[in-house]
């Protein structure tokens, strides 16, 4: 256990992202197996179902089940790869683009085959420069080698991959607004129903999957779903990419089997806390996931259910480690400013609530907090939570709720004394 | 498909197949609040005031986007739902200026009503409100007070989905969001004024009505637009009798303050065109009204004018009459009964499209700019007056006629507008707004209008005139 890798199977070199290098490490063998051995789309779906793969975009929904929701008998289906990677603290998809973009391309073709998509899209964050360049080069290579496009690998199956650069809005990572954005409209999330699986891109049934989710497919198809299911925990199969940032000595990208202990990751793999300070808190799965205290991660493993049992989420696997001495109200100010800036402004609670929360937290962080501010923040977060068109509202409310719950005394102190318990520091 | 049984607040109800909870509730007289929902527009689901609970399911759901499912049990009146509504109201009013005392929408504003009904408490915010542009120019007819806008997007959806001008959009995001012109949209929208009426708050303002009156001084009277053969249902807003204060001046008490679209699913749905919204200008244009009877250009009494007209008809060898496509069904019938057999009858359209006017479109506007051509043709055919027929007397009924086209015949003119020249007898008649009646539109649909104002003293109703000639 814990030694298996799906992505970290090669050395990072100058050319590890090229087609040649990818092929040398077994790239496109899965696709060849599927297309040449005459596997049917249903067979591919069954293999993915057997793997127990769950989405890596944040919600952790079983991938094969998601595919099975696609409306039946539509003349057109679309597969869309969500490469917006907007969640602060999350940088795993970028690693795939930069070091092994063919993994994604092969995964896209496999998924397209499985759901019968003839035009598949990659929606990539506008700021991703190197990622975009590497992706485009890889795509060109793949087209030239007949791995994408018409009659892939000489088979009957044809599928184009269209790359769309986003404008860099967090909300465009939400699947329905991502689709609006590809359609050329403003990136407003849509009310559900209808779900994209019924009416998605250009009104056709659409499946939106995260980069990592799709990039795992070649491994699963090559080695078999059952093999993949051997890794990880009972309900969370396989490995995941974890991006660790914050106050650790060796931040960066790690691949671990699901179920790996947080403490081991932080103290052994990442070399412990900067300056050998004590641990103050951990944000377990990207900016928006509720913050946990050291005692909560004492025996915690990186797996969806386990983290949920502690009242937080594994989310996108972006772990943010916070050392003792960090000012939580100041940290919350950074968070609320982000969400206030990123709210699309479509629905009332999020449009008004995110800015209102930021206004109050900013006042507190300036030493101008007033009695009642904490209660108001709680009320606002509750008013947003679950009452918005998309989950950005909840993403904005959760940090506020959890920081207040876990570190209420710091807020109270700040309001009462007009200054931070920790000198307003974020850096250590 | 049969109806779907479900319940709201333990009341058993039936929804039509495909209906949403909100629609079914409203149809059954249950009052779920809504702001962004509009029956003719796509569902935006953005205001979030319509949230309800589904028994057995977590969280709240926007009833405007919630299809009714068999056996669904909706809670719309419980404590949780009230708390959510209160929260949403707090959010909506966070930056809203609440300047109801100077807002034209006060008295018919959904936000004001909901505030009383669902919130009722003071703002929880102690920080300054965010100020947005006041009096942003939407077009030559409409202003936007962006501070009052609650971003329900009804106006935006209207211009994209109904009038199709694509004129408006929402720029920026988060709390900076505001309604603005879209560069890609058309600058002109012949239906733009509907967005004023459909704005649930007082953000969109009619330049014409701006600060003219508090709405509770006014009352609507059902009428019909005479601008084209569609004959849209409209409301003409006059001052309530109770508020006719002498000191205000008589013109203010006899003024059409504004026109609004009146829902009529058979004819115009819920919209009218901007020409319809301008009907008040026609009604209020007193300067060009014909108000005094005249004989040969000299003022006369009604009595004298009528006797002179009677004499001329009696003496004429070959009398003719031209009937108006602005006359009501009742007047046309009366004419047919009393005079129709004594004179040769021709028909005439009072109005042709004016320069620059939209001739016809796919939504409402028709090329025939008269409200009752259908009835006129049904009763009197299509033949138009010809000088060659050699008539020595013409009774002209209607406006906008050139006497030179009548080849020197004697003329009796029944007009609402001052004519271009002096007929032998001029009998001023009441306008549509000074009597009741009905028109038959281009599809044969009959639409009634009520009397809005009294006619001036020396003016007669056309139908009263015929029997006396
Ligand atoms: C505000 C918001 C931002 C999101 N951003 C991303 C993102 O950047 N990348 C991503 O894969 N999923 C993102 N998601 C989740 C997607 O909506 C969607 O669930 C995901 O792409 C599904 O892929 P998966 O099934 O492979 O996990 C976001 C969701 C929300 C509400
Ligand atoms: S929750 Fe926020 S981001 Fe999502 S639709 Fe509403 S305003 Fe937009
Ligand atoms: S101007 Fe009125 S109709 Fe338009 S978005 Fe604002 S509140 Fe809604
Ligand atoms: S469409 Fe014709 S009848 Fe309707 S409001 Fe416009 S001009 Fe009047
Ligand atoms: S009326 Fe349902 S969200 Fe606005």
């Amino acid at each position: 256990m814990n030694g298996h890798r799906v992505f970290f199977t090669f050395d990072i070199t100058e050319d590890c992202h090229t087609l040649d290098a990818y092929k040398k490490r077994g790239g496109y063998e899965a696709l060849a197996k599927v297309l040449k051995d005459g596997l049917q789309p249903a067979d591919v779906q069954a293999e993915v179902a057997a793997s127990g793969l769950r989405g890596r975009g944040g919600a952790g929904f079983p991938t094969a089940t998601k595919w099975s929701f696609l409306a039946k008998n539509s003349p057109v289906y679309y597969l869309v790869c969500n490469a917006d990677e907007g969640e602060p603290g999350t940088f795993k998809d970028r690693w795939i683009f930069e070091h092994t973009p063919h993994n994604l391309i092969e995964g896209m073709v496999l998924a397209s085959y499985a759901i019968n998509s003839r035009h598949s899209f990659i929606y990539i964050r506008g700021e991703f420069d190197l990622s975009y360049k590497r992706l485009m080069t890889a795509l060109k290579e793949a087209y030239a080698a007949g791995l994408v496009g018409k009659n892939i690998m000489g088979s009957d199956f044809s599928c184009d991959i269209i790359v769309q650069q986003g404008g860099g809005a967090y909300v465009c990572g939400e699947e329905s607004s991502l689709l609006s954005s590809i359609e050329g409209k403003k990136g407003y999330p849509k009310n559900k129903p209808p779900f994209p699986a019924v009416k998605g891109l250009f009104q056709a049934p659409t499946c939106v999957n995260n980069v990592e989710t799709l990039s795992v497919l070649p491994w699963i198809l090559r080695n078999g779903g059952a093999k993949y299911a051997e890794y990880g925990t009972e309900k969370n199969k396989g490995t995941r990419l974890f991006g660790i940032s914050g106050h650790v000595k060796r931040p960066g990208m790690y691949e671990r089997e699901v179920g790996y202990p947080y403490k081991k990751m932080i103290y052994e793999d990442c070399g412990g806390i900067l300056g050998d300070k004590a641990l103050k808190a951990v944000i377990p799965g990207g900016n928006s996931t509720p913050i946990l205290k050291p005692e909560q991660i004492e025996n915690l493993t990186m797996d969806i259910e386990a983290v949920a049992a502690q009242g937080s989420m594994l989310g996108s696997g972006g772990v943010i480690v916070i050392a003792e001495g960090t000012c939580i109200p100041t940290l919350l100010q950074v968070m609320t400013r982000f969400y206030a800036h990123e709210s699309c402004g479509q629905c009332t609670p999020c449009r008004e609530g995110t800015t209102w929360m930021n206004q109050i937290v900013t006042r507190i962080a300036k030493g101008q907090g007033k009695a009642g501010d904490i209660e108001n923040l709680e009320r606002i977060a509750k008013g947003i939570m679950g009452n918005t068109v998309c989950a950005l509202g909840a993403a904005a409310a959760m940090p506020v709720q959890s920081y207040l719950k876990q570190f209420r005394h710091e807020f109270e102190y700040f309001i009462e004394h007009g200054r931070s318990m920790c000198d307003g520091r974020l850096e250590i | 498909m049969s109806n779907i049984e479900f319940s709201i607040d333990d009341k058993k109800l039936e929804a039509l197949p495909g209906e949403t909870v909100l629609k079914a509730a409203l149809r059954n007289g249950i009052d779920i609040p809504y702001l962004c929902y509009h029956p003719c527009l796509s569902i935006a689901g953005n205001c979030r005031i319509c949230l309800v609970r589904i028994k057995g399911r977590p969280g709240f759901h926007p009833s405007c986007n919630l299809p009714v499912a068999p056996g669904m049990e909706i809670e719309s009146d419980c404590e949780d739902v009230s708390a959510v509504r209160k929260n949403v109201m707090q959010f909506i009013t966070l930056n809203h200026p609440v300047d109801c005392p100077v807002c034209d929408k006060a008295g018919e504003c959904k936000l004001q009503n909901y505030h009383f009904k669902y919130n009722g408490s003071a703002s929880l915010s102690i920080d300054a409100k965010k100020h947005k542009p006041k009096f942003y120019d939407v077009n030559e007819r409409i202003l936007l007070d962006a501070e009052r806008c609650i971003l329900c997007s009804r106006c935006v959806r209207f211009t994209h989905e109904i009038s199709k001008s694509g004129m408006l959009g929402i720029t920026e995001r988060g709390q900076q969001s505001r309604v603005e012109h879209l560069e890609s949209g058309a600058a002109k929208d012949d239906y733009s004024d509907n967005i004023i009426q459909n704005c649930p708050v007082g953000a969109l303002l009619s330049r014409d009505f701006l600060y003219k009156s508090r709405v509770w001084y006014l009352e609507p009277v059902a009428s019909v637009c005479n601008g084209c053969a569609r004959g849209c249902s409209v409301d003409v807003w006059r001052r309530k009798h109770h508020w006719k204060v002498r000191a205000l001046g008589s013109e203010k008490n006899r003024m059409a303050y504004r026109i609004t679209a009146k829902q009529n699913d058979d004819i115009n749905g819920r919209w009218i065109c901007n020409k319809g919204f301008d009907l008040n200008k026609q009604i209020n244009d007193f300067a060009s009204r014909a108000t005094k009877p005249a004989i040969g250009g000299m003022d006369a009494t009604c009595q004298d004018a009528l006797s002179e007209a009677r004499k001329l008809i009696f003496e004429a060898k070959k009398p003719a009459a031209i009937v108006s496509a602005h006359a009501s069904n009742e007047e046309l019938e009366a004419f047919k009964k009393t005079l129709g057999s004594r004179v040769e009858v021709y028909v005439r359209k009072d109005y042709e499209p004016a320069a620059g006017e939209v001739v016809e479109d796919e939504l409402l506007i028709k090329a025939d700019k008269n409200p009752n051509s259908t009835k006129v043709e049904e009763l009197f055919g299509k033949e138009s007056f010809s000088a060659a027929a050699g008539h020595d007397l013409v009774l002209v009924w209607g406006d906008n006629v050139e006497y030179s086209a009548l080849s020197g015949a004697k003329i009796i003119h029944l007009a609402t507008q001052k004519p271009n020249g002096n007929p032998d007898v001029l009998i001023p008649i009441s306008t549509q707004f000074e009597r009741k009646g009905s028109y038959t539109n281009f599809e044969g649909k009959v639409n009634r209008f009520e009397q809005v104002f009294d006619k001036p003293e020396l003016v007669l109703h056309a139908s009263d005139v015929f029997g006396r000639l």
Side-chain angles (χ1 to χ4, degrees), chain A residues 3-313:
Chain A
H4 300 294
R5 300 289 179 266
V6 168
F7 291 103
F8 282 31
T9 53
F10 60 94
D11 291 333
I12 304 293
T13 57
E14 261 184 18
D15 63 354
C16 64
H17 56 275
T18 61
L19 180 57
D20 274 351
Y22 184 64
K23 275 192 157 166
K24 274 192 198 124
R25 52 181 189 259
Y28 291 105
E29 278 174 18
L31 189 60
K33 184 171 143 190
V34 166
L35 294 181
K36 291 188 178 154
D37 294 0
L39 260 71
Q40 294 305 304
D43 302 329
V44 178
Q45 293 200 16
E47 207 63 60
V48 175
S51 77
L53 176 67
R54 291 169 70 166
R56 305 302 197 222
F61 199 78
T63 304
T65 312
K66 193 172 190 173
W67 290 354
S68 74
F69 288 158
L70 287 165
K72 303 287 174 291
N73 302 324
S74 167
V76 181
Y77 292 91
Y78 291 115
L79 173 75
V80 178
C81 168
N82 187 344
D84 195 61
E85 186 137 89
E87 181 80 351
T90 307
F91 44 93
K92 64 193 177 68
D93 298 345
R94 197 168 62 180
W95 185 91
I96 294 175
F97 280 119
E98 289 177 9
H99 303 305
T100 183
H102 281 285
N103 241 57
L104 173 64
I105 295 171
E106 189 183 359
M108 288 278 292
V109 179
L110 287 167
S112 303
Y113 182 72
I115 69 161
N116 198 14
S117 163
R118 300 300 164 117
H119 295 91
S120 297
F121 293 78
I122 299 176
Y123 185 86
I124 182 167
R125 171 156 286 262
E127 289 96 328
F128 278 5
D129 188 36
L130 182 60
S131 298
Y132 178 70
K133 280 187 193 140
R134 292 250 161 110
L135 171 66
M136 294 317 274
T137 314
L139 201 54
K140 218 185 246 170
E141 286 178 320
Y143 263 105
L147 300 165
V148 180
K150 264 208 159 66
N151 301 105
I152 297 171
M153 289 183 157
S155 72
D156 290 346
F157 182 63
S158 303
C159 175
D160 282 306
I161 294 180
I162 298 122
V163 179
Q164 170 92 44
Q165 280 182 292
Y170 176 53
V171 75
C172 286
E174 193 279 339
E175 56 182 8
S176 61
S177 60
L178 185 153
L179 299 178
S180 301
S181 180
I182 294 181
E183 286 170 356
K185 297 181 223 149
K186 190 167 176 170
Y188 269 173
K190 292 179 192 149
N191 280 281
K192 288 133 213 145
F195 289 91
V198 176
K199 242 188 208 182
L201 191 62
F202 305 117
Q203 306 289 311
T206 302
C207 181
V208 181
N209 279 128
N210 171 257
V211 176
E212 187 187 344
T213 315
L214 292 166
S215 301
V216 182
L217 299 177
W219 196 99
I220 293 174
L221 269 301
R222 204 166 48 156
N223 301 290
K227 182 85 198 150
Y228 190 79
E230 285 174 15
Y231 303 172
T233 66
E234 198 201 325
K235 288 186 172 164
N236 286 247
K237 303 300 183 191
T239 69
R240 286 189 64 152
L241 294 175
F242 292 104
I244 323 280
S245 59
H247 303 142
V248 285
K249 289 182 185 159
R250 283 195 300 276
M253 184 58 64
Y254 294 82
E255 182 184 10
R256 293 291 177 267
E257 267 184 70
V258 182
Y260 195 76
Y262 271 96
K263 271 189 85 176
K264 200 161 173 205
M265 177 76 100
I266 294 168
Y267 286 102
E268 293 177 23
D269 303 346
C270 297
I273 311 290
L274 276 179
D276 294 318
K277 290 261 167 77
L279 179 66
K280 182 166 190 174
V282 173
I283 300 174
N287 205 351
S288 56
T289 56
I291 198 164
L292 297 176
K293 284 186 149 177
E295 55 270 27
Q296 288 177 287
I297 65 146
E298 195 54 39
N299 297 307
L300 188 61
T301 54
M302 303 171 106
D303 115 48
I304 297 174
E305 274 75 21
V307 181
Q310 288 298 330
S312 187
M313 291 155 74

Side-chain angles (χ1 to χ4, degrees), chain B residues 135-186:
Chain B
F135 298 133
Y136 171 86
D137 264 303
V138 172
N139 62 16
E140 73 286 353
R141 307 171 63 89
I142 304 171
L143 295 165
L144 168 73
D145 183 329
E147 296 191 311
R148 292 183 192 151
C149 170
I150 59 159
L151 292 155
C152 71
S153 79
R154 279 188 188 192
C155 56
V156 173
R157 281 176 283 149
F158 177 87
T159 65
H160 287 259
E161 296 165 13
I162 306 289
S163 71
K164 305 228 164 75
S165 67
M167 184 170 78
L168 297 175
I170 293 176
T171 56
E172 302 278 353
R173 62 187 189 196
Q175 234 181 44
Q176 324 297 319
S177 305
R178 55 186 188 276
V179 169
E180 275 187 12
H181 297 288
L182 280 190
E183 262 174 52
S184 54

Side-chain angles (χ1 to χ4, degrees), chain A residues 169 186 188 191 193 341-348 351-353 355-356 359 363 370 376 379 387-389, chain B residues 44-48 51 60 65 87 91-92 94-95 124-128 150-151 170 172-175 177:
Chain A
K186 190 167 176 170
Y188 269 173
N191 280 281
H341 183 259
E342 295 298 327
S343 162
C344 84
Q346 183 185 194
C347 66
T348 311
R351 179 184 65 240
E352 304 299 336
T355 310
W356 193 2
Q359 209 171 16
R363 224 169 2 78
K370 300 265 170 10
N376 259 348
R379 203 173 356 233
N387 297 337
T388 51
V389 172
Chain B
N46 59 29
C47 75
R48 304 265 130 185
L51 293 171
F60 299 89
N65 191 52
N87 262 324
F91 288 132
I92 292 181
L94 182 70
N95 287 302
L124 294 172
S125 175
I126 55 168
D127 300 297
I150 59 159
L151 292 155
I170 293 176
E172 302 278 353
R173 62 187 189 196
Q175 234 181 44
S177 305

Side-chain angles (χ1 to χ4, degrees), chain B residues 26 156 167 170 228 278 286 307 361 370 378 398 408:
Chain B
L26 295 175
V156 173
M167 184 170 78
I170 293 176
C228 80
D278 283 341
F286 234 65
S307 342
D361 68 12
N370 302 275
E378 183 192 313

Side-chain angles (χ1 to χ4, degrees), chain B residues 224 326-329 371-372 432 438-441 445-447 449:
Chain B
V224 177
H326 269 244
S328 68
N329 293 340
N372 211 8
Q432 168 200 338
S438 65
Y439 291 136
T440 305
N441 89 343
K445 291 174 180 154
V446 176
N447 204 2
F449 51 84

